[in-house]
Amino acid sequence: MTLGIALLGTGGIAERAFIPALRAVDGARLSAVLSRDAVRGAAFAQQHGIPEAYDDLEALLRSPQVEAVIVATPDAMHEAQVLAAARAGKHVLCEKPMTSTFAGCQRMAEVIRTSGITFAMGYNNRFNTGLQRIKSLIEAGTIGSVRYARAFLTSQAQDPQGWRAHTEQSRYWALSAVGTHLIDIWRWYFGEPASVGGGLASPVYGSPNDQLSVLALNYPGRLLAELAVSAVFRGGNRIELYGSDGAIIGENLFGSSPGGTLTCQGETITLPTASPFVGEVADFVQAIQQRRAPSATLEDGLRNMHIMETARDGALLHPL
């Protein structure tokens, strides 16, 4: 049986990443699309062969063809859309970050937990071939105990008039676009930090949201994991891990269709280009079918936003 999935949003990530992924995954059927603009939604549906187009979420959720939704809208819209979907009994794959505030995440979590739906967070890098390889190398002890890790990643959405640059639809720019992914990678690799420090800055456009952010996750007596993300620099895409017995360096591993190279103990591996969104959608569908937890869960969404909000507020984070 196939799962009827509606796509909420008609932006770049919907078109570039989710539509190809939905077409590639067995058991998934793209059944509807939601747009705030009815004309745009109808054109988008016609272009991509989507059976139904809506500009009203409640009407979409009443469709018998919709069993699950992918929320690919601006951050501040996630809360209301996820709450409506959960109350309608529809499974949800929510793009990162979970929403704009930790309080909003908590409200979402309360409804999700009582709804019985499957909720997956859109941390597609857990299905990134290069990053999966790094995790395997760490777990195999290839470079010994990891003592220091750092990553630098820039956003391709660098428009100061774009929705991420303003507080109406997002409270974060660089952190929302790419930093949230790196927070998830460090938590996926190393677990929960004991504390987090760092800072957010807007040195170029003076926008209310961060153009440059640097965070350090502290694992006392074990390691420091650092991330630097930007919406005003171009071309940054690098991850480094230093252990007691060597190092792992990844170049150009991130993106919607990444490839890149991985160097470990002097050996360089060229990775094939592959979309991590295919693995993400497949995991979501299988989690629903198998009644199991997805790879990235509600808890991951909550903890990630807690770290982001703590960094924004300029305080140290202590475990939840």
Side-chain angles (χ1 to χ4, degrees), residues 30-31 74 82 86 94 101 113 127-128 132 155 161 180 209 211-212 248 252 269 299:
L30 181 52
S31 58
V82 169
C94 182
T101 67
R113 286 170 177 150
F127 305 94
N128 177 302
Q132 288 178 331
S155 168
Q161 302 305 314
T180 183
N209 295 345
Q211 300 161 22
L212 173 66
I248 300 170
N252 299 314
I269 303 165
E299 190 67 21

Side-chain angles (χ1 to χ4, degrees), residues 18-58:
F18 283 116
I19 285 180
L22 284 161
R23 288 175 175 161
V25 173
D26 290 337
R29 172 173 46 86
L30 181 52
S31 58
V33 65
L34 177 78
S35 174
R36 287 172 286 181
D37 183 322
V39 174
R40 174 176 170 78
F44 190 90
Q46 183 176 24
Q47 178 185 355
H48 297 289
I50 304 170
E52 299 178 356
Y54 296 86
D55 62 355
D56 179 78
L57 178 59
E58 295 297 336

Side-chain angles (χ1 to χ4, degrees), residues 231-316:
V232 291
F233 303 138
R234 296 188 181 276
N237 187 330
R238 182 177 174 90
I239 185 170
E240 307 173 26
L241 301 95
Y242 298 91
S244 54
D245 298 323
I248 300 170
I249 311 295
E251 294 277 8
N252 299 314
L253 301 187
F254 295 91
S256 57
S257 295
T261 60
L262 192 61
T263 302
C264 180
Q265 304 292 46
E267 178 184 356
T268 299
I269 303 165
T270 300
L271 299 163
T273 301
S275 169
F277 289 91
V278 173
E280 178 181 68
V281 172
D283 178 71
F284 176 53
V285 171
Q286 291 162 14
I288 294 166
Q289 293 172 338
Q290 298 167 10
R291 298 185 179 183
R292 63 165 174 82
S295 176
T297 66
L298 172 64
E299 190 67 21
D300 293 310
L302 283 162
R303 290 183 177 274
N304 198 298
M305 178 50 65
H306 192 197
I307 289 173
M308 288 173 63
E309 192 159 290
T310 299
R312 179 187 170 99
D313 293 343
L316 288 178

Side-chain angles (χ1 to χ4, degrees), residues 116-274:
I117 68 161
T118 295
F119 178 87
M121 273 304 305
Y123 288 117
N124 65 80
N125 280 298
R126 295 195 181 205
F127 305 94
N128 177 302
T129 302
L131 298 171
Q132 288 178 331
R133 181 75 67 89
I134 290 174
K135 184 170 173 61
S136 296
L137 290 169
I138 293 170
E139 291 173 348
T142 307
I143 61 169
S145 298
V146 179
R147 302 303 188 199
Y148 175 58
R150 67 182 180 188
F152 177 61
L153 188 57
T154 58
S155 168
Q156 299 304 307
Q158 297 165 331
D159 178 8
Q161 302 305 314
W163 64 264
R164 292 193 192 278
H166 299 279
T167 53
E168 293 85 357
Q169 295 181 302
S170 177
R171 297 179 75 224
Y172 307 88
W173 185 359
L175 275 177
S176 169
V178 291
T180 183
H181 278 303
L182 296 182
I183 293 169
D184 184 66
I185 291 299
W186 293 154
R187 290 184 56 256
W188 186 41
Y189 284 177
F190 307 125
E192 301 302 331
S195 61
V196 174
L200 285 66
S202 298
V204 179
Y205 300 113
S207 60
N209 295 345
D210 62 304
Q211 300 161 22
L212 173 66
S213 292
V214 178
L215 304 184
L217 282 63
N218 184 21
Y219 298 83
R222 186 176 157 208
L223 76 126
L224 285 172
E226 179 185 351
L227 64 95
V229 292
S230 173
V232 291
F233 303 138
R234 296 188 181 276
N237 187 330
R238 182 177 174 90
I239 185 170
E240 307 173 26
L241 301 95
Y242 298 91
S244 54
D245 298 323
I248 300 170
I249 311 295
E251 294 277 8
N252 299 314
L253 301 187
F254 295 91
S256 57
S257 295
T261 60
L262 192 61
T263 302
C264 180
Q265 304 292 46
E267 178 184 356
T268 299
I269 303 165
T270 300
L271 299 163
T273 301

Side-chain angles (χ1 to χ4, degrees), residues 74-100:
D75 302 349
M77 299 178 69
H78 293 183
E79 181 180 351
Q81 291 176 336
V82 169
L83 290 175
R87 286 169 177 151
K90 311 297 184 181
H91 306 290
V92 177
L93 169 57
C94 182
E95 249 302 293
K96 54 72 187 170
M98 191 168 160
T99 191
S100 296

